[in-house]
C-alpha cells in the first residue's frame, strides 16, 4: 500500500483540529433569505427533508454506537461526542428550519435503535467480533459521509445557479465545509486498522459477508419507504445520470480495504444494487401515486 502509515496520533490530531476549526455552525451566522420558496421547494424540497432527517438521526447513531462499541477509545469518544454529534445535530436543525420556512412540515427523525443493532451489540461483546464491528462502523461512516459531501456539493451548485446565494453560501456552504473532515476521520480509521493488520483473515471474511448482506444507503434504515425517498434524492440531485460512478465514489474506501483480495473491487456490487433498488422503488412509488 503506497499510502502513509496512519498512526493513532495522526487520527487524534485530525479530530482535535476538526474540533478547533469547526464549532457547530452558529445559528445567527446563517442567512435564511430565500428569493423563490416555491422554486426551491420543487427543486430541492425533497432533498432538504431527507437531509434534515438524516442529520437529526445522528442522535440515534450515537445510541447505536454506544450499543455496538461501548468501550471506544478516547479519540473515538472525542470524535463522536465533541465534534461529530454537535456538528451534525446543528446541520439538522438548520436544514429543518429552512424547510419549515419554505412551508414544508418539520422533519420526523427515526430515533429508535433497531433490534438488529441490539443483537449485533450482544455479539460484539466478544473481542474478535468487536474488532469486526468497529471496522464496519468506520466503513459505514466513510460511505455515509461521502454521500453527504456529494449531496451538499451538488446542492451548493444548484442553489447558486438558482440565484439562492444566501443559503448556498451561509447554510449549505458552511455545512459542506464540515463533512469532508468527518469522511477523513472514518477513512483514516478504517485504513489504519488494515495497515496495522488488526483483523485476521477470518475477521475480514466475516466483515465481507456481513457488509454484503447489510449495506444500507444513508438514512434508509432498512425500510422501503426511506429507500424510495433516497431514490428521489438521487434523481433530484441528478446523480442518476451516472449511478455507477456515484456507486464508485461512495464505495471507494471499502472497495480498496475490504475487497483488496480481489485486487480492490472498484465498485462493490451491493452498493450499486442498493442504488438501483432505491431508484426503482422511487419510480414504483411515483407510478402508484399517478394511478
Ligand atoms: Fe452533516
Ligand atoms: Fe457528517
Amino acid at each position: 500500500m503506497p499510502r502513509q502509515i496512519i498512526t493513532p496520533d495522526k487520527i487524534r490530531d485530525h479530530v482535535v483540529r476538526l474540533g478547533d476549526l469547526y464549532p457547530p455552525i452558529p445559528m445567527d451566522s446563517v442567512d435564511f433569505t430565500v428569493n423563490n420558496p416555491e422554486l426551491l421547494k420543487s427543486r430541492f424540497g425533497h432533498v432538504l427533508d431527507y437531509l434534515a432527517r438524516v442529520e437529526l438521526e445522528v442522535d440515534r447513531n450515537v445510541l447505536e454506537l454506544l450499543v455496538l462499541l461501548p468501550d471506544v477509545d478516547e479519540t473515538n469518544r472525542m470524535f463522536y461526542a465533541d465534534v461529530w454529534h454537535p456538528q451534525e445535530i446543528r446541520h439538522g436543525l438548520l436544514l429543518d428550519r429552512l424547510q419549515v420556512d419554505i412551508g414544508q412540515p418539520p422533519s420526523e427523525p427515526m430515533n429508535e435503535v433497531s433490534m438488529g443493532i441490539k443483537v449485533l451489540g450482544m455479539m460484539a461483546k466478544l473481542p474478535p467480533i468487536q474488532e469486526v464491528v468497529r471496522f464496519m462502523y468506520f466503513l459505514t461512516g466513510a460511505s455515509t459521509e461521502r454521500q453527504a459531501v456529494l449531496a451538499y456539493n451538488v446542492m451548493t451548485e444548484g442553489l447558486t445557479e438558482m440565484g439562492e446565494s444566501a443559503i448556498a453560501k451561509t447554510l449549505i456552504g458552511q455545512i459542506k465545509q464540515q463533512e469532508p473532515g468527518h469522511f477523513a476521520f472514518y477513512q483514516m480509521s478504517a485504513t489504519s486498522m488494515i495497515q496495522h493488520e488488526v483483523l485476521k483473515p477470518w475477521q475480514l471474511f466475516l466483515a465481507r459477508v456481513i457488509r454484503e448482506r447489510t449495506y444500507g444507503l444513508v438514512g434508509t434504515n432498512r425500510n422501503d419507504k426511506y429507500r424510495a425517498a433516497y431514490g428521489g434524492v438521487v434523481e433530484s440531485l441528478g446523480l442518476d445520470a451516472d449511478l455507477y460512478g456515484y456507486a464508485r465514489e461512495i464505495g471507494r474506501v471499502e472497495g480498496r480495504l475490504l475487497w483488496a483480495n480481489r485486487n480492490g473491487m472498484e465498485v462493490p456490487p451491493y452498493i450499486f444494487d442498493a442504488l438501483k433498488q432505491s431508484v426503482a422503488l422511487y419510480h414504483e412509488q411515483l407510478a402508484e401515486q399517478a394511478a
Side-chain angles (χ1 to χ4, degrees), residues 84 88 145 179 182:
W84 182 68
E88 303 287 33
E145 297 291 351
E179 303 294 357
H182 303 165

Side-chain angles (χ1 to χ4, degrees), residues 55 58 79 84 87-88 91 141 144-146 148-149 152 175 178-183 186:
E55 298 278 8
V58 71
F79 177 71
W84 182 68
Q87 289 182 1
E88 303 287 33
H91 297 173
T144 296
E145 297 291 351
R146 193 74 190 120
V149 169
Y152 292 121
I175 295 177
Q178 299 189 338
E179 303 294 357
H182 303 165
F183 169 74
Y186 292 118

Side-chain angles (χ1 to χ4, degrees), residues 15-283:
V15 174
V16 171
R17 200 169 49 242
L18 286 185
D20 290 345
L21 273 174
Y22 303 116
I25 299 166
M27 293 300 270
D28 61 8
S29 71
V30 176
D31 179 354
F32 285 96
T33 306
V34 173
N35 300 318
N36 190 337
E38 282 314 309
L39 186 63
L40 176 60
K41 223 157 113 176
S42 70
R43 177 127 184 235
F44 287 126
H46 173 72
V47 181
L48 269 179
D49 180 49
Y50 197 93
L51 290 174
R53 175 178 61 79
V54 167
E55 298 278 8
L56 291 171
E57 286 178 358
V58 71
D59 277 341
R60 189 193 75 232
N61 299 146
V62 167
L63 294 177
E64 288 171 345
L65 174 63
L66 293 173
V67 169
L68 293 174
L69 304 169
D71 308 312
V72 290
D73 63 15
E74 174 53 19
T75 297
N76 277 280
R77 190 213 59 77
M78 191 165 54
F79 177 71
Y80 87 76
D82 301 347
V83 177
W84 182 68
H85 179 263
Q87 289 182 1
E88 303 287 33
I89 267 292
R90 188 58 57 85
H91 297 173
L93 294 172
L94 292 166
L95 293 170
D96 209 32
R97 149 96 198 261
L98 175 63
Q99 76 160 336
V100 171
D101 274 7
I102 62 170
Q104 300 195 146
S107 160
E108 287 178 28
M110 205 280 282
N111 272 334
E112 209 165 306
V113 177
S114 73
M115 204 55 211
I117 294 282
K118 287 179 188 161
V119 171
L120 193 58
M122 279 186 309
M123 293 190 330
K125 289 206 167 75
L126 302 165
I129 305 291
Q130 175 90 179
E131 283 164 347
V132 175
V133 170
R134 187 155 57 94
F135 182 60
M136 289 196 304
Y137 161 73
F138 293 144
L139 292 183
T140 299
S143 181
T144 296
E145 297 291 351
R146 193 74 190 120
Q147 292 168 68
V149 169
L150 295 172
Y152 292 121
N153 284 350
V154 175
M155 270 193 95
T156 306
E157 265 173 44
L159 291 171
T160 308
E161 239 173 61
M162 288 165 65
E164 299 291 356
S165 56
I167 52 171
K169 265 196 207 128
T170 69
L171 175 58
I172 307 298
Q174 287 203 84
I175 295 177
K176 191 178 90 156
Q177 283 190 315
Q178 299 189 338
E179 303 294 357
H182 303 165
F183 169 74
F185 169 79
Y186 292 118
Q187 200 238 162
M188 287 164 82
S189 301
T191 304
S192 176
M193 282 184 81
I194 295 296
Q195 288 178 337
H196 293 91
E197 297 180 351
V198 175
L199 300 172
K200 304 210 167 46
W202 74 265
Q203 288 172 303
L204 276 168
F205 174 79
L206 183 62
R208 280 183 212 112
V209 171
I210 301 180
R211 196 72 182 148
E212 270 181 322
R213 280 165 181 64
T214 62
Y215 180 85
L217 295 156
V218 67
T220 50
N221 301 338
R222 325 212 152 284
N223 177 317
D224 278 351
K225 179 180 88 174
Y226 296 130
R227 288 188 181 111
Y230 191 100
V233 170
V234 163
E235 297 221 340
S236 296
L237 295 177
L239 298 165
D240 51 323
D242 179 13
L243 205 59
Y244 192 74
Y246 180 56
R248 185 191 307 125
E249 285 293 325
I250 68 179
R252 182 164 284 147
V253 173
E254 60 197 88
R256 175 168 59 82
L257 297 177
L258 193 57
W259 301 96
N261 63 332
R262 294 190 203 166
N263 285 331
M265 202 187 275
E266 206 194 9
V267 179
Y270 51 89
I271 297 186
F272 189 41
D273 289 346
L275 287 170
K276 283 187 291 192
Q277 185 201 26
S278 72
V279 170
L281 284 167
Y282 174 63
H283 282 275

